[in-house]
Amino acid sequence: SEEAMRLAARAHELKPRAVWAANALFDLKSARGEWSDAKAVLENAQRAQLVEPDVAKRRRAVLLTAEALDAETENPDRARTLALQALDLSPAMVPAAALAARKLAAEGKVWRAQDLIEAAWAQAPHPDLAAAYAAIKPNETSEERASRLIGLAHLKRDHFESRMLEAEQNMNLGKWGEARRALVP
């Protein structure tokens, strides 16, 4: 609400070194999609050492990702740029990786798109990454796609999502024994 924003801004103004006030203002600005203002609050908090550098880096990546998602339909080039900036800060940022991969694949940069998804998967497997990876090559056969997705799963083989993806793709290939083996752990 406007009142909450006014109070948070006033509290931050009166107590600029109060972590709670900076966090409240950051959260409200983020929730309202006021990305520039949220980034400014974050930068000020980091300069004042109110937030740890790794937390600030992660929050900046989240803001860039949210801004990229907002820009995706209106300004695809900006969306891609913002998503890539988010991935520079946090390579495992799933929505940024999926968005950047979609945009890069649409530009014919399939290898770069695959690299982004693979880097994110190796850190944090997620179904959205698998979906984005599958969509990168729309003209491949179902066998080629299944084989490629099994390769993705093998980047972090012991993770639950990797085992599920491997089992699903083996089922698509009719390899029931291999599907069962992937699910055993």
Side-chain angles (χ1 to χ4, degrees), residues 3-55:
E3 182 66 9
M5 181 64 74
R6 189 183 66 71
L7 290 171
R10 184 72 177 135
H12 187 58
E13 182 182 314
L14 291 172
K15 298 268 190 185
R17 299 207 41 84
V19 174
W20 67 268
N23 284 337
L25 190 56
F26 174 81
D27 290 345
L28 287 166
K29 294 287 187 185
S30 298
R32 291 169 57 140
E34 296 175 4
W35 312 125
S36 297
D37 290 349
K39 281 186 226 169
V41 170
L42 180 59
E43 287 167 14
N44 290 337
Q46 191 174 8
R47 269 197 301 275
Q49 298 179 343
L50 302 179
V51 62
E52 295 293 323
D54 57 333
V55 172

mmCIF file of all heavy atoms in Angstrom, residues 3-55:
data_model
loop_
_atom_site.group_PDB
_atom_site.id
_atom_site.type_symbol
_atom_site.label_atom_id
_atom_site.label_comp_id
_atom_site.label_asym_id
_atom_site.label_seq_id
_atom_site.Cartn_x
_atom_site.Cartn_y
_atom_site.Cartn_z
ATOM 1 N N GLU A 3 0.631 3.705 2.042
ATOM 2 C CA GLU A 3 0.991 4.040 3.418
ATOM 3 C C GLU A 3 2.223 3.253 3.868
ATOM 4 O O GLU A 3 3.134 3.798 4.491
ATOM 5 C CB GLU A 3 -0.196 3.757 4.352
ATOM 6 C CG GLU A 3 0.046 4.120 5.795
ATOM 7 C CD GLU A 3 0.228 5.620 6.057
ATOM 8 O OE1 GLU A 3 0.007 6.438 5.142
ATOM 9 O OE2 GLU A 3 0.624 5.970 7.180
ATOM 10 N N ALA A 4 2.255 1.969 3.535
ATOM 11 C CA ALA A 4 3.408 1.136 3.893
ATOM 12 C C ALA A 4 4.670 1.659 3.218
ATOM 13 O O ALA A 4 5.737 1.746 3.840
ATOM 14 C CB ALA A 4 3.162 -0.313 3.497
ATOM 15 N N MET A 5 4.548 2.056 1.954
ATOM 16 C CA MET A 5 5.700 2.592 1.224
ATOM 17 C C MET A 5 6.169 3.893 1.868
ATOM 18 O O MET A 5 7.368 4.107 2.059
ATOM 19 C CB MET A 5 5.344 2.819 -0.246
ATOM 20 C CG MET A 5 6.486 3.356 -1.081
ATOM 21 S SD MET A 5 7.883 2.214 -1.221
ATOM 22 C CE MET A 5 7.193 1.039 -2.349
ATOM 23 N N ARG A 6 5.214 4.755 2.208
ATOM 24 C CA ARG A 6 5.554 6.038 2.827
ATOM 25 C C ARG A 6 6.266 5.819 4.161
ATOM 26 O O ARG A 6 7.291 6.440 4.453
ATOM 27 C CB ARG A 6 4.291 6.886 3.024
ATOM 28 C CG ARG A 6 4.549 8.320 3.456
ATOM 29 C CD ARG A 6 3.254 9.078 3.710
ATOM 30 N NE ARG A 6 2.508 8.561 4.850
ATOM 31 C CZ ARG A 6 2.876 8.697 6.135
ATOM 32 N NH1 ARG A 6 3.987 9.334 6.440
ATOM 33 N NH2 ARG A 6 2.133 8.217 7.107
ATOM 34 N N LEU A 7 5.739 4.896 4.967
ATOM 35 C CA LEU A 7 6.339 4.621 6.272
ATOM 36 C C LEU A 7 7.732 3.992 6.142
ATOM 37 O O LEU A 7 8.645 4.369 6.881
ATOM 38 C CB LEU A 7 5.423 3.714 7.089
ATOM 39 C CG LEU A 7 4.115 4.354 7.572
ATOM 40 C CD1 LEU A 7 3.202 3.306 8.185
ATOM 41 C CD2 LEU A 7 4.398 5.478 8.551
ATOM 42 N N ALA A 8 7.881 3.073 5.208
ATOM 43 C CA ALA A 8 9.189 2.433 5.011
ATOM 44 C C ALA A 8 10.215 3.452 4.527
ATOM 45 O O ALA A 8 11.364 3.463 4.997
ATOM 46 C CB ALA A 8 9.067 1.279 4.022
ATOM 47 N N ALA A 9 9.811 4.310 3.607
ATOM 48 C CA ALA A 9 10.724 5.339 3.093
ATOM 49 C C ALA A 9 11.115 6.304 4.208
ATOM 50 O O ALA A 9 12.294 6.687 4.336
ATOM 51 C CB ALA A 9 10.077 6.092 1.930
ATOM 52 N N ARG A 10 10.147 6.681 5.028
ATOM 53 C CA ARG A 10 10.420 7.600 6.143
ATOM 54 C C ARG A 10 11.346 6.945 7.177
ATOM 55 O O ARG A 10 12.289 7.571 7.664
ATOM 56 C CB ARG A 10 9.097 8.015 6.801
ATOM 57 C CG ARG A 10 9.238 9.024 7.907
ATOM 58 C CD ARG A 10 9.601 10.391 7.376
ATOM 59 N NE ARG A 10 9.659 11.335 8.488
ATOM 60 C CZ ARG A 10 10.624 12.212 8.657
ATOM 61 N NH1 ARG A 10 11.594 12.325 7.774
ATOM 62 N NH2 ARG A 10 10.621 13.028 9.689
ATOM 63 N N ALA A 11 11.087 5.684 7.492
ATOM 64 C CA ALA A 11 11.923 4.966 8.458
ATOM 65 C C ALA A 11 13.354 4.856 7.934
ATOM 66 O O ALA A 11 14.314 5.055 8.685
ATOM 67 C CB ALA A 11 11.351 3.580 8.731
ATOM 68 N N HIS A 12 13.478 4.574 6.655
ATOM 69 C CA HIS A 12 14.813 4.452 6.056
ATOM 70 C C HIS A 12 15.530 5.804 6.045
ATOM 71 O O HIS A 12 16.737 5.873 6.265
ATOM 72 C CB HIS A 12 14.696 3.891 4.637
ATOM 73 C CG HIS A 12 16.010 3.580 4.006
ATOM 74 N ND1 HIS A 12 16.919 2.704 4.551
ATOM 75 C CD2 HIS A 12 16.584 4.045 2.873
ATOM 76 C CE1 HIS A 12 17.992 2.635 3.775
ATOM 77 N NE2 HIS A 12 17.812 3.441 2.755
ATOM 78 N N GLU A 13 14.764 6.848 5.834
ATOM 79 C CA GLU A 13 15.334 8.207 5.831
ATOM 80 C C GLU A 13 15.814 8.585 7.242
ATOM 81 O O GLU A 13 16.902 9.136 7.409
ATOM 82 C CB GLU A 13 14.261 9.191 5.359
ATOM 83 C CG GLU A 13 14.710 10.621 5.256
ATOM 84 C CD GLU A 13 13.562 11.522 4.822
ATOM 85 O OE1 GLU A 13 12.846 11.165 3.865
ATOM 86 O OE2 GLU A 13 13.369 12.587 5.469
ATOM 87 N N LEU A 14 15.009 8.257 8.251
ATOM 88 C CA LEU A 14 15.351 8.601 9.635
ATOM 89 C C LEU A 14 16.468 7.710 10.194
ATOM 90 O O LEU A 14 17.291 8.168 10.982
ATOM 91 C CB LEU A 14 14.117 8.483 10.536
ATOM 92 C CG LEU A 14 13.027 9.526 10.300
ATOM 93 C CD1 LEU A 14 11.785 9.184 11.116
ATOM 94 C CD2 LEU A 14 13.530 10.923 10.637
ATOM 95 N N LYS A 15 16.458 6.446 9.801
ATOM 96 C CA LYS A 15 17.441 5.479 10.307
ATOM 97 C C LYS A 15 18.113 4.770 9.132
ATOM 98 O O LYS A 15 17.855 3.591 8.871
ATOM 99 C CB LYS A 15 16.743 4.432 11.193
ATOM 100 C CG LYS A 15 16.081 4.995 12.416
ATOM 101 C CD LYS A 15 17.041 4.964 13.554
ATOM 102 C CE LYS A 15 16.313 5.307 14.851
ATOM 103 N NZ LYS A 15 17.223 5.405 15.939
ATOM 104 N N PRO A 16 18.964 5.472 8.390
ATOM 105 C CA PRO A 16 19.558 4.878 7.190
ATOM 106 C C PRO A 16 20.436 3.659 7.480
ATOM 107 O O PRO A 16 20.718 2.878 6.580
ATOM 108 C CB PRO A 16 20.371 6.017 6.577
ATOM 109 C CG PRO A 16 20.520 7.035 7.637
ATOM 110 C CD PRO A 16 19.400 6.851 8.598
ATOM 111 N N ARG A 17 20.862 3.471 8.722
ATOM 112 C CA ARG A 17 21.693 2.316 9.050
ATOM 113 C C ARG A 17 20.880 1.173 9.673
ATOM 114 O O ARG A 17 21.451 0.170 10.087
ATOM 115 C CB ARG A 17 22.850 2.715 9.966
ATOM 116 C CG ARG A 17 23.759 3.742 9.301
ATOM 117 C CD ARG A 17 25.179 3.752 9.760
ATOM 118 N NE ARG A 17 25.812 2.476 9.987
ATOM 119 C CZ ARG A 17 26.393 1.709 9.056
ATOM 120 N NH1 ARG A 17 26.386 2.089 7.800
ATOM 121 N NH2 ARG A 17 26.967 0.573 9.381
ATOM 122 N N ALA A 18 19.577 1.322 9.696
ATOM 123 C CA ALA A 18 18.714 0.266 10.232
ATOM 124 C C ALA A 18 18.467 -0.775 9.140
ATOM 125 O O ALA A 18 17.878 -0.475 8.101
ATOM 126 C CB ALA A 18 17.398 0.840 10.727
ATOM 127 N N VAL A 19 18.918 -1.982 9.393
ATOM 128 C CA VAL A 19 18.785 -3.055 8.401
ATOM 129 C C VAL A 19 17.313 -3.315 8.084
ATOM 130 O O VAL A 19 16.940 -3.476 6.918
ATOM 131 C CB VAL A 19 19.471 -4.342 8.912
ATOM 132 C CG1 VAL A 19 19.230 -5.503 7.966
ATOM 133 C CG2 VAL A 19 20.960 -4.118 9.103
ATOM 134 N N TRP A 20 16.475 -3.332 9.110
ATOM 135 C CA TRP A 20 15.060 -3.640 8.894
ATOM 136 C C TRP A 20 14.395 -2.620 7.979
ATOM 137 O O TRP A 20 13.559 -2.977 7.148
ATOM 138 C CB TRP A 20 14.303 -3.749 10.224
ATOM 139 C CG TRP A 20 14.188 -2.445 10.971
ATOM 140 C CD1 TRP A 20 15.033 -1.958 11.915
ATOM 141 C CD2 TRP A 20 13.169 -1.449 10.790
ATOM 142 N NE1 TRP A 20 14.620 -0.717 12.341
ATOM 143 C CE2 TRP A 20 13.469 -0.383 11.662
ATOM 144 C CE3 TRP A 20 12.042 -1.353 9.980
ATOM 145 C CZ2 TRP A 20 12.677 0.764 11.742
ATOM 146 C CZ3 TRP A 20 11.251 -0.219 10.068
ATOM 147 C CH2 TRP A 20 11.577 0.819 10.946
ATOM 148 N N ALA A 21 14.765 -1.348 8.122
ATOM 149 C CA ALA A 21 14.152 -0.305 7.289
ATOM 150 C C ALA A 21 14.597 -0.457 5.832
ATOM 151 O O ALA A 21 13.782 -0.337 4.911
ATOM 152 C CB ALA A 21 14.518 1.081 7.824
ATOM 153 N N ALA A 22 15.881 -0.727 5.624
ATOM 154 C CA ALA A 22 16.389 -0.926 4.261
ATOM 155 C C ALA A 22 15.730 -2.152 3.627
ATOM 156 O O ALA A 22 15.314 -2.111 2.460
ATOM 157 C CB ALA A 22 17.905 -1.086 4.281
ATOM 158 N N ASN A 23 15.610 -3.230 4.399
ATOM 159 C CA ASN A 23 14.978 -4.447 3.875
ATOM 160 C C ASN A 23 13.507 -4.220 3.543
ATOM 161 O O ASN A 23 13.018 -4.684 2.514
ATOM 162 C CB ASN A 23 15.121 -5.596 4.863
ATOM 163 C CG ASN A 23 16.510 -6.186 4.867
ATOM 164 O OD1 ASN A 23 17.265 -6.065 3.900
ATOM 165 N ND2 ASN A 23 16.872 -6.840 5.961
ATOM 166 N N ALA A 24 12.815 -3.507 4.409
ATOM 167 C CA ALA A 24 11.392 -3.237 4.170
ATOM 168 C C ALA A 24 11.208 -2.407 2.905
ATOM 169 O O ALA A 24 10.344 -2.709 2.070
ATOM 170 C CB ALA A 24 10.779 -2.517 5.373
ATOM 171 N N LEU A 25 12.032 -1.377 2.751
ATOM 172 C CA LEU A 25 11.928 -0.524 1.568
ATOM 173 C C LEU A 25 12.283 -1.315 0.310
ATOM 174 O O LEU A 25 11.599 -1.219 -0.714
ATOM 175 C CB LEU A 25 12.835 0.701 1.723
ATOM 176 C CG LEU A 25 12.662 1.799 0.684
ATOM 177 C CD1 LEU A 25 11.220 2.298 0.636
ATOM 178 C CD2 LEU A 25 13.610 2.957 0.998
ATOM 179 N N PHE A 26 13.341 -2.118 0.389
ATOM 180 C CA PHE A 26 13.739 -2.955 -0.746
ATOM 181 C C PHE A 26 12.602 -3.899 -1.136
ATOM 182 O O PHE A 26 12.247 -4.021 -2.315
ATOM 183 C CB PHE A 26 14.998 -3.755 -0.407
ATOM 184 C CG PHE A 26 15.384 -4.739 -1.471
ATOM 185 C CD1 PHE A 26 16.088 -4.326 -2.592
ATOM 186 C CD2 PHE A 26 15.020 -6.079 -1.365
ATOM 187 C CE1 PHE A 26 16.425 -5.234 -3.593
ATOM 188 C CE2 PHE A 26 15.356 -6.981 -2.359
ATOM 189 C CZ PHE A 26 16.060 -6.557 -3.471
ATOM 190 N N ASP A 27 12.013 -4.578 -0.145
ATOM 191 C CA ASP A 27 10.932 -5.528 -0.413
ATOM 192 C C ASP A 27 9.725 -4.851 -1.051
ATOM 193 O O ASP A 27 9.130 -5.378 -1.993
ATOM 194 C CB ASP A 27 10.510 -6.240 0.871
ATOM 195 C CG ASP A 27 11.572 -7.203 1.385
ATOM 196 O OD1 ASP A 27 12.508 -7.537 0.623
ATOM 197 O OD2 ASP A 27 11.467 -7.611 2.557
ATOM 198 N N LEU A 28 9.356 -3.680 -0.537
ATOM 199 C CA LEU A 28 8.195 -2.972 -1.086
ATOM 200 C C LEU A 28 8.457 -2.486 -2.506
ATOM 201 O O LEU A 28 7.592 -2.614 -3.380
ATOM 202 C CB LEU A 28 7.814 -1.803 -0.179
ATOM 203 C CG LEU A 28 7.142 -2.197 1.138
ATOM 204 C CD1 LEU A 28 7.106 -1.018 2.106
ATOM 205 C CD2 LEU A 28 5.740 -2.729 0.886
ATOM 206 N N LYS A 29 9.639 -1.940 -2.753
ATOM 207 C CA LYS A 29 9.984 -1.468 -4.103
ATOM 208 C C LYS A 29 9.988 -2.644 -5.075
ATOM 209 O O LYS A 29 9.496 -2.543 -6.199
ATOM 210 C CB LYS A 29 11.351 -0.783 -4.118
ATOM 211 C CG LYS A 29 11.416 0.516 -3.339
ATOM 212 C CD LYS A 29 10.699 1.614 -4.059
ATOM 213 C CE LYS A 29 10.909 2.954 -3.383
ATOM 214 N NZ LYS A 29 10.118 4.017 -4.017
ATOM 215 N N SER A 30 10.540 -3.785 -4.636
ATOM 216 C CA SER A 30 10.587 -4.976 -5.490
ATOM 217 C C SER A 30 9.178 -5.481 -5.795
ATOM 218 O O SER A 30 8.867 -5.810 -6.941
ATOM 219 C CB SER A 30 11.389 -6.085 -4.813
ATOM 220 O OG SER A 30 12.717 -5.682 -4.614
ATOM 221 N N ALA A 31 8.352 -5.553 -4.765
ATOM 222 C CA ALA A 31 6.987 -6.060 -4.933
ATOM 223 C C ALA A 31 6.184 -5.199 -5.904
ATOM 224 O O ALA A 31 5.303 -5.710 -6.607
ATOM 225 C CB ALA A 31 6.283 -6.137 -3.583
ATOM 226 N N ARG A 32 6.495 -3.924 -5.964
ATOM 227 C CA ARG A 32 5.781 -3.014 -6.860
ATOM 228 C C ARG A 32 6.404 -2.951 -8.251
ATOM 229 O O ARG A 32 5.923 -2.215 -9.114
ATOM 230 C CB ARG A 32 5.742 -1.617 -6.245
ATOM 231 C CG ARG A 32 4.844 -1.555 -5.020
ATOM 232 C CD ARG A 32 5.000 -0.282 -4.248
ATOM 233 N NE ARG A 32 4.742 0.895 -5.038
ATOM 234 C CZ ARG A 32 4.096 1.959 -4.597
ATOM 235 N NH1 ARG A 32 3.626 1.966 -3.376
ATOM 236 N NH2 ARG A 32 3.922 3.008 -5.361
ATOM 237 N N GLY A 33 7.483 -3.689 -8.468
ATOM 238 C CA GLY A 33 8.132 -3.674 -9.780
ATOM 239 C C GLY A 33 8.889 -2.398 -10.053
ATOM 240 O O GLY A 33 9.156 -2.063 -11.209
ATOM 241 N N GLU A 34 9.263 -1.695 -9.002
ATOM 242 C CA GLU A 34 10.044 -0.462 -9.153
ATOM 243 C C GLU A 34 11.524 -0.844 -9.097
ATOM 244 O O GLU A 34 12.217 -0.641 -8.102
ATOM 245 C CB GLU A 34 9.651 0.530 -8.057
ATOM 246 C CG GLU A 34 8.199 0.964 -8.171
ATOM 247 C CD GLU A 34 7.726 1.858 -7.025
ATOM 248 O OE1 GLU A 34 8.542 2.230 -6.150
ATOM 249 O OE2 GLU A 34 6.524 2.173 -7.010
ATOM 250 N N TRP A 35 11.981 -1.452 -10.206
ATOM 251 C CA TRP A 35 13.299 -2.081 -10.236
ATOM 252 C C TRP A 35 14.440 -1.102 -10.001
ATOM 253 O O TRP A 35 15.373 -1.404 -9.248
ATOM 254 C CB TRP A 35 13.499 -2.829 -11.549
ATOM 255 C CG TRP A 35 12.346 -3.709 -11.906
ATOM 256 C CD1 TRP A 35 11.621 -3.691 -13.059
ATOM 257 C CD2 TRP A 35 11.752 -4.735 -11.103
ATOM 258 N NE1 TRP A 35 10.623 -4.633 -13.017
ATOM 259 C CE2 TRP A 35 10.678 -5.285 -11.824
ATOM 260 C CE3 TRP A 35 12.020 -5.240 -9.830
ATOM 261 C CZ2 TRP A 35 9.887 -6.321 -11.337
ATOM 262 C CZ3 TRP A 35 11.234 -6.263 -9.339
ATOM 263 C CH2 TRP A 35 10.180 -6.794 -10.078
ATOM 264 N N SER A 36 14.395 0.066 -10.624
ATOM 265 C CA SER A 36 15.476 1.050 -10.448
ATOM 266 C C SER A 36 15.569 1.506 -8.999
ATOM 267 O O SER A 36 16.664 1.611 -8.444
ATOM 268 C CB SER A 36 15.266 2.262 -11.356
ATOM 269 O OG SER A 36 15.325 1.862 -12.696
ATOM 270 N N ASP A 37 14.418 1.782 -8.398
ATOM 271 C CA ASP A 37 14.402 2.212 -6.999
ATOM 272 C C ASP A 37 14.897 1.088 -6.083
ATOM 273 O O ASP A 37 15.650 1.336 -5.134
ATOM 274 C CB ASP A 37 12.990 2.638 -6.574
ATOM 275 C CG ASP A 37 12.552 3.940 -7.223
ATOM 276 O OD1 ASP A 37 13.409 4.620 -7.834
ATOM 277 O OD2 ASP A 37 11.358 4.273 -7.128
ATOM 278 N N ALA A 38 14.469 -0.134 -6.353
ATOM 279 C CA ALA A 38 14.907 -1.271 -5.535
ATOM 280 C C ALA A 38 16.422 -1.448 -5.654
ATOM 281 O O ALA A 38 17.102 -1.700 -4.659
ATOM 282 C CB ALA A 38 14.177 -2.543 -5.961
ATOM 283 N N LYS A 39 16.953 -1.293 -6.880
ATOM 284 C CA LYS A 39 18.406 -1.402 -7.073
ATOM 285 C C LYS A 39 19.137 -0.304 -6.303
ATOM 286 O O LYS A 39 20.182 -0.555 -5.706
ATOM 287 C CB LYS A 39 18.766 -1.308 -8.561
ATOM 288 C CG LYS A 39 18.540 -2.586 -9.319
ATOM 289 C CD LYS A 39 19.070 -2.443 -10.738
ATOM 290 C CE LYS A 39 18.049 -2.974 -11.705
ATOM 291 N NZ LYS A 39 18.318 -2.676 -13.084
ATOM 292 N N ALA A 40 18.575 0.894 -6.311
ATOM 293 C CA ALA A 40 19.201 2.007 -5.587
ATOM 294 C C ALA A 40 19.218 1.732 -4.084
ATOM 295 O O ALA A 40 20.230 1.976 -3.411
ATOM 296 C CB ALA A 40 18.466 3.313 -5.885
ATOM 297 N N VAL A 41 18.117 1.224 -3.545
ATOM 298 C CA VAL A 41 18.059 0.885 -2.121
ATOM 299 C C VAL A 41 19.103 -0.188 -1.810
ATOM 300 O O VAL A 41 19.833 -0.102 -0.815
ATOM 301 C CB VAL A 41 16.641 0.403 -1.721
ATOM 302 C CG1 VAL A 41 16.643 -0.177 -0.308
ATOM 303 C CG2 VAL A 41 15.636 1.543 -1.830
ATOM 304 N N LEU A 42 19.208 -1.177 -2.676
ATOM 305 C CA LEU A 42 20.175 -2.258 -2.487
ATOM 306 C C LEU A 42 21.610 -1.730 -2.528
ATOM 307 O O LEU A 42 22.433 -2.092 -1.691
ATOM 308 C CB LEU A 42 19.973 -3.330 -3.556
ATOM 309 C CG LEU A 42 20.901 -4.536 -3.506
ATOM 310 C CD1 LEU A 42 20.776 -5.268 -2.180
ATOM 311 C CD2 LEU A 42 20.598 -5.473 -4.669
ATOM 312 N N GLU A 43 21.901 -0.881 -3.511
ATOM 313 C CA GLU A 43 23.254 -0.318 -3.615
ATOM 314 C C GLU A 43 23.608 0.505 -2.385
ATOM 315 O O GLU A 43 24.724 0.412 -1.860
ATOM 316 C CB GLU A 43 23.378 0.527 -4.883
ATOM 317 C CG GLU A 43 23.435 -0.307 -6.146
ATOM 318 C CD GLU A 43 23.247 0.493 -7.415
ATOM 319 O OE1 GLU A 43 23.326 1.748 -7.365
ATOM 320 O OE2 GLU A 43 23.015 -0.133 -8.459
ATOM 321 N N ASN A 44 22.659 1.313 -1.906
ATOM 322 C CA ASN A 44 22.897 2.112 -0.698
ATOM 323 C C ASN A 44 23.117 1.218 0.517
ATOM 324 O O ASN A 44 24.004 1.481 1.337
ATOM 325 C CB ASN A 44 21.725 3.063 -0.441
ATOM 326 C CG ASN A 44 21.671 4.181 -1.463
ATOM 327 O OD1 ASN A 44 22.675 4.518 -2.099
ATOM 328 N ND2 ASN A 44 20.489 4.742 -1.661
ATOM 329 N N ALA A 45 22.324 0.156 0.620
ATOM 330 C CA ALA A 45 22.468 -0.774 1.745
ATOM 331 C C ALA A 45 23.819 -1.477 1.687
ATOM 332 O O ALA A 45 24.464 -1.677 2.722
ATOM 333 C CB ALA A 45 21.333 -1.792 1.732
ATOM 334 N N GLN A 46 24.263 -1.807 0.481
ATOM 335 C CA GLN A 46 25.556 -2.471 0.349
ATOM 336 C C GLN A 46 26.693 -1.504 0.701
ATOM 337 O O GLN A 46 27.628 -1.883 1.396
ATOM 338 C CB GLN A 46 25.739 -3.025 -1.064
ATOM 339 C CG GLN A 46 26.935 -3.937 -1.180
ATOM 340 C CD GLN A 46 27.049 -4.611 -2.528
ATOM 341 O OE1 GLN A 46 26.333 -4.306 -3.460
ATOM 342 N NE2 GLN A 46 27.979 -5.545 -2.618
ATOM 343 N N ARG A 47 26.583 -0.264 0.239
ATOM 344 C CA ARG A 47 27.606 0.739 0.573
ATOM 345 C C ARG A 47 27.684 0.961 2.073
ATOM 346 O O ARG A 47 28.759 1.158 2.624
ATOM 347 C CB ARG A 47 27.319 2.058 -0.146
ATOM 348 C CG ARG A 47 27.995 2.179 -1.491
ATOM 349 C CD ARG A 47 28.032 3.607 -1.990
ATOM 350 N NE ARG A 47 26.711 4.204 -2.120
ATOM 351 C CZ ARG A 47 25.927 4.069 -3.183
ATOM 352 N NH1 ARG A 47 26.327 3.350 -4.201
ATOM 353 N NH2 ARG A 47 24.750 4.625 -3.228
ATOM 354 N N ALA A 48 26.534 0.936 2.739
ATOM 355 C CA ALA A 48 26.487 1.136 4.187
ATOM 356 C C ALA A 48 26.799 -0.158 4.942
ATOM 357 O O ALA A 48 26.722 -0.185 6.168
ATOM 358 C CB ALA A 48 25.112 1.662 4.594
ATOM 359 N N GLN A 49 27.111 -1.217 4.208
ATOM 360 C CA GLN A 49 27.435 -2.523 4.770
ATOM 361 C C GLN A 49 26.299 -3.095 5.622
ATOM 362 O O GLN A 49 26.524 -3.723 6.655
ATOM 363 C CB GLN A 49 28.751 -2.473 5.555
ATOM 364 C CG GLN A 49 29.924 -2.095 4.674
ATOM 365 C CD GLN A 49 31.230 -2.008 5.423
ATOM 366 O OE1 GLN A 49 31.256 -1.929 6.644
ATOM 367 N NE2 GLN A 49 32.329 -2.022 4.686
ATOM 368 N N LEU A 50 25.080 -2.849 5.158
ATOM 369 C CA LEU A 50 23.906 -3.385 5.841
ATOM 370 C C LEU A 50 23.532 -4.762 5.303
ATOM 371 O O LEU A 50 22.689 -5.446 5.877
ATOM 372 C CB LEU A 50 22.704 -2.442 5.663
ATOM 373 C CG LEU A 50 22.880 -1.011 6.152
ATOM 374 C CD1 LEU A 50 21.621 -0.202 5.884
ATOM 375 C CD2 LEU A 50 23.221 -0.999 7.635
ATOM 376 N N VAL A 51 24.139 -5.127 4.191
ATOM 377 C CA VAL A 51 23.850 -6.412 3.572
ATOM 378 C C VAL A 51 25.165 -7.035 3.119
ATOM 379 O O VAL A 51 26.062 -6.335 2.662
ATOM 380 C CB VAL A 51 22.852 -6.235 2.391
ATOM 381 C CG1 VAL A 51 23.428 -5.370 1.297
ATOM 382 C CG2 VAL A 51 22.400 -7.558 1.837
ATOM 383 N N GLU A 52 25.270 -8.338 3.315
ATOM 384 C CA GLU A 52 26.482 -9.059 2.920
ATOM 385 C C GLU A 52 26.645 -8.994 1.403
ATOM 386 O O GLU A 52 25.648 -9.019 0.674
ATOM 387 C CB GLU A 52 26.384 -10.524 3.356
ATOM 388 C CG GLU A 52 26.348 -10.725 4.850
ATOM 389 C CD GLU A 52 27.662 -10.344 5.516
ATOM 390 O OE1 GLU A 52 28.719 -10.597 4.922
ATOM 391 O OE2 GLU A 52 27.604 -9.770 6.621
ATOM 392 N N PRO A 53 27.879 -8.940 0.909
ATOM 393 C CA PRO A 53 28.108 -8.847 -0.538
ATOM 394 C C PRO A 53 27.457 -9.981 -1.336
ATOM 395 O O PRO A 53 26.890 -9.735 -2.402
ATOM 396 C CB PRO A 53 29.632 -8.896 -0.668
ATOM 397 C CG PRO A 53 30.139 -8.399 0.642
ATOM 398 C CD PRO A 53 29.134 -8.839 1.658
ATOM 399 N N ASP A 54 27.495 -11.218 -0.831
ATOM 400 C CA ASP A 54 26.902 -12.323 -1.587
ATOM 401 C C ASP A 54 25.379 -12.231 -1.608
ATOM 402 O O ASP A 54 24.741 -12.569 -2.610
ATOM 403 C CB ASP A 54 27.363 -13.679 -1.052
ATOM 404 C CG ASP A 54 27.066 -13.878 0.419
ATOM 405 O OD1 ASP A 54 26.993 -12.884 1.165
ATOM 406 O OD2 ASP A 54 26.912 -15.046 0.843
ATOM 407 N N VAL A 55 24.790 -11.714 -0.539
ATOM 408 C CA VAL A 55 23.333 -11.504 -0.502
ATOM 409 C C VAL A 55 22.960 -10.388 -1.472
ATOM 410 O O VAL A 55 21.983 -10.509 -2.222
ATOM 411 C CB VAL A 55 22.848 -11.175 0.929
ATOM 412 C CG1 VAL A 55 21.383 -10.774 0.938
ATOM 413 C CG2 VAL A 55 23.099 -12.355 1.852
#
